[in-house]
């Protein structure tokens, strides 16, 4: 069976990498695939990085990105979550591409209007949950430096209530972790009779992972931090904790970027420490230069892509006990877990990775087996099985 699928997605990040690799996997199996995106201009053609056909639509809202005053932000959300300004654009795409299945991912800017349009056309929708957009205005389930334990009044009125009007239109929900499914279930975001699946992101290194030494330097541990540099990622707290260790026993390599003022603040904090800020790095290159990766997130990461990326590269992940991160490593089996509120637990994990060769060997051996679950071909096959069931039910 040949199916036609398209994948609405918006910003750039780990979720979008998974979308791209899934789309490529489906295309390689002979399926017609297209990606729908929003930007400050309209464009139709091939997506340069992936070679996937792309429908890029001009966002019909107050702004595309950037910092704005609170009234403007509220107006943006009212249009995004309650308005239907993009409906005609979505209908034009469906008329042209005629998909059998629509798989939605990152919804900010896309909005749930796409679900209403799809339902009117009789096209089943699969939604992959990799953030908190449907229940939270900032999609992060975090406010004033603290993780939310429920849904606040403003998010209930402007995010959750509008979402619930249309979540019954979704035919299958893919969650990236058991933790994010439990958070969504607690707020009854989707009707309980909607089928669900836990399916992580897809990842394959650009080139085969070369054999690596057990430790890059026998006398000290090379630690990595990789990804977006922003307060909720916990790099500032990581630097503070590392300061308590002897400077000749470790070094830290930071790959990624963020707001220049915040990055400069962290550089000043680390000025007398063995820390290198490297800027944006290719995953293959970065992981080859570290022994262990600390995922120091303070917010409830739905999954934590860098946790499984690093493990696949033979790096030992040390992850915060937040969101879906502990599921990625299964403490002691595919990495270690620490409590961000208890600095001693991170220091103990770092000491264990440095001093326990048997642990390092066991973790790497386990990732050699489990990397199969993250292979784009495997993820594509498991996702395709969901699509096929929906298309067959429709016929």
């Amino acid at each position: 069976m040949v199916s036609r699928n398209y994948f609405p997605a918006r910003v750039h990040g780990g979720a979008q990498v998974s979308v791209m690799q899934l789309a490529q996997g489906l295309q390689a199996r002979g399926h017609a695939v297209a990606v729908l995106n929003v930007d400050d201009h309209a464009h139709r053609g091939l997506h340069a990085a992936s070679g996937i056909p792309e429908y890029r639509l001009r966002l019909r809202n107050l702004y595309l990105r950037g910092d704005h005053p609170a009234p403007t932000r509220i107006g943006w959300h009212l249009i995004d979550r309650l308005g239907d300004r993009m409906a005609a654009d979505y209908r034009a795409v469906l008329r042209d591409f005629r998909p059998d299945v629509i798989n939605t991912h990152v919804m900010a800017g896309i909005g749930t209007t796409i679900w209403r349009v799809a339902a009117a056309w009789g096209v089943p929708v699969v939604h992959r949950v990799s953030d908190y957009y449907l229940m939270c205005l900032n999609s992060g389930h975090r406010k004033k430096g603290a993780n939310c334990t429920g849904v606040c009044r403003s998010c209930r009125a402007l995010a959750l209530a509008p979402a619930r009007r249309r979540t019954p239109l979704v035919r299958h929900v893919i969650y990236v972790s058991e933790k994010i499914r439990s958070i969504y279930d607690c707020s009854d975001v989707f009707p309980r009779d909607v089928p669900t699946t836990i399916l992580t992101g897809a990842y394959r290194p650009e080139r085969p992972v070369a054999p690596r030494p057990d430790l890059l330097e026998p006398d000290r541990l090379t630690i990595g931090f990789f990804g977006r540099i922003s307060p909720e990622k916990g790099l500032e707290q990581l630097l503070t904790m590392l300061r308590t260790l002897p400077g000749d026993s470790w070094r830290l390599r930071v790959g990624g970027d963020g707001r220049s003022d915040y990055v400069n603040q962290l550089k000043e904090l680390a000025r007398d420490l063995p820390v290198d800020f490297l800027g944006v790095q290719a995953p293959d290159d970065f992981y080859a230069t570290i022994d262990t990766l600390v995922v120091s997130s303070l917010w409830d990461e739905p999954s934590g892509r860098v946790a499984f990326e690093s493990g696949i590269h033979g790096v030992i992940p040390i992850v915060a006990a937040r969101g879906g991160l502990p599921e990625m490593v299964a403490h002691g089996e595919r990495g270690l877990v620490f409590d961000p509120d208890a600095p001693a637990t991170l220091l103990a994990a770092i000491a264990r990775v440095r001093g326990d060769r048997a642990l390092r060997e066991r973790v790497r051996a386990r990732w050699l087996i489990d990397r199969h679950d993250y292979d784009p071909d495997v993820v594509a096959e498991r996702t395709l099985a969901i699509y096929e069931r929906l298309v067959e039910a429709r016929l």
Side-chain angles (χ1 to χ4, degrees):
M1 182 192 75
V2 177
S3 63
R4 299 175 66 85
N5 316 279
Y6 85 172
F7 303 83
R10 183 172 180 261
V11 297
H12 300 286
Q16 287 68 35
V17 175
S18 292
V19 170
M20 182 178 72
Q21 294 200 349
L22 172 59
Q24 290 172 323
L26 293 170
Q27 189 178 65
R29 284 160 176 73
H31 300 278
V33 181
V35 173
L36 182 148
N37 209 333
V38 294
D39 208 331
D40 58 2
H41 66 284
H43 168 75
R44 178 180 170 185
L46 291 181
H47 183 258
S50 65
I52 300 294
E54 175 187 48
Y55 291 88
R56 187 174 294 267
L57 305 177
R58 183 178 67 84
L59 178 64
R60 300 184 187 278
N61 207 325
L62 301 179
Y63 57 85
L64 182 68
R65 59 179 65 89
D67 293 328
H68 299 273
T72 305
R73 296 198 303 271
I74 292 173
W76 190 96
H77 284 291
L78 289 172
I79 293 170
D80 184 56
R81 297 169 185 271
L82 298 174
D84 278 339
R85 290 187 176 186
M86 302 291 295
D89 299 278
Y90 297 154
R91 282 193 290 269
V93 173
L94 265 65
R95 190 179 301 114
D96 182 74
F97 188 67
R98 298 188 176 277
D100 297 313
V101 175
I102 293 175
N103 193 165
T104 53
H105 294 255
V106 179
M107 299 291 284
I110 298 290
T112 58
T113 296
I114 187 68
W115 296 348
R116 183 181 67 79
V117 172
W121 280 66
V123 180
V125 173
V126 176
H127 180 58
R128 181 178 186 266
V129 179
S130 57
D131 64 14
Y132 300 96
Y133 170 84
L134 297 176
M135 57 188 294
C136 178
L137 289 175
N138 64 30
S139 299
H141 202 49
R142 182 175 171 85
K143 188 175 183 179
K144 296 181 179 179
N147 294 330
C148 299
T149 56
V151 182
C152 67
R153 184 180 302 175
S154 57
C155 287
R156 185 170 294 277
L158 295 178
L160 183 57
R164 281 176 174 164
R165 293 186 309 158
R166 289 176 175 165
T167 51
L169 301 174
V170 175
R171 294 292 170 256
H172 198 106
V173 182
I174 297 174
Y175 291 101
V176 296
S177 67
E178 185 62 55
K179 178 64 176 180
I180 196 171
R181 176 162 66 180
S182 70
I183 292 173
Y184 265 63
D185 283 350
C186 284
S187 295
D188 294 319
V189 180
F190 289 94
R192 292 302 175 104
D193 59 349
V194 176
T196 66
T197 299
I198 304 295
L199 191 59
T200 60
Y203 177 66
R204 178 184 293 140
E206 290 292 325
R207 53 183 182 269
V209 178
R212 56 185 299 142
D214 180 41
L215 292 177
L216 297 174
E217 298 182 57
D219 296 330
R220 67 174 176 174
L221 190 69
T222 303
I223 304 166
F225 174 97
F226 195 41
R228 187 175 74 253
I229 301 176
S230 55
E232 74 278 3
K233 292 293 187 176
L235 178 55
E236 182 175 354
Q237 289 73 13
L238 174 59
L239 292 170
T240 300
M241 294 182 213
L242 289 175
R243 184 174 287 279
T244 66
L245 296 177
D248 60 353
S249 66
W250 63 276
R251 64 171 176 161
L252 175 67
R253 296 173 61 81
V254 178
D257 63 1
R259 290 177 53 128
S260 59
D261 56 344
Y262 184 64
V263 173
N264 289 336
Q265 176 186 331
L266 296 185
K267 288 180 178 179
E268 181 61 25
L269 179 64
R271 184 165 50 87
D272 59 341
L273 297 175
V275 178
D276 296 315
F277 286 83
L278 306 171
V280 176
Q281 298 283 295
D284 288 52
D285 298 332
F286 182 78
Y287 292 128
T289 67
I290 61 174
D291 300 311
T292 185
L293 182 82
V294 175
V295 188
S296 51
S297 297
L298 304 177
W299 76 299
D300 283 326
E301 293 261 12
S303 174
R305 182 179 182 85
V306 293
F308 61 79
E309 281 185 0
S310 60
I312 289 170
H313 280 271
V315 172
I316 312 300
I318 301 175
V319 306
R322 293 290 186 269
L325 288 169
E327 295 174 47
M328 293 295 103
V329 303
H331 184 67
E333 298 180 21
R334 303 195 300 188
L336 298 175
V337 180
F338 74 97
D339 181 356
D341 295 327
T345 62
L346 173 59
L347 301 179
I350 290 173
R352 187 176 174 192
V353 170
R354 184 186 180 199
D356 191 341
R357 184 185 183 111
L359 170 73
R360 299 193 297 268
E361 292 176 346
R362 183 168 67 251
V363 169
R364 287 173 181 143
R366 178 66 180 269
W367 275 110
L368 284 175
I369 298 171
D370 291 354
R371 64 186 300 169
H372 170 81
D373 292 331
Y374 303 90
D375 186 273
D377 290 334
V378 173
V379 175
E381 287 292 344
R382 292 174 179 173
T383 306
L384 185 61
I386 296 171
Y387 298 163
E388 288 177 335
R389 288 195 297 270
L390 292 175
V391 172
E392 288 168 2
R394 180 189 174 197
L395 298 177

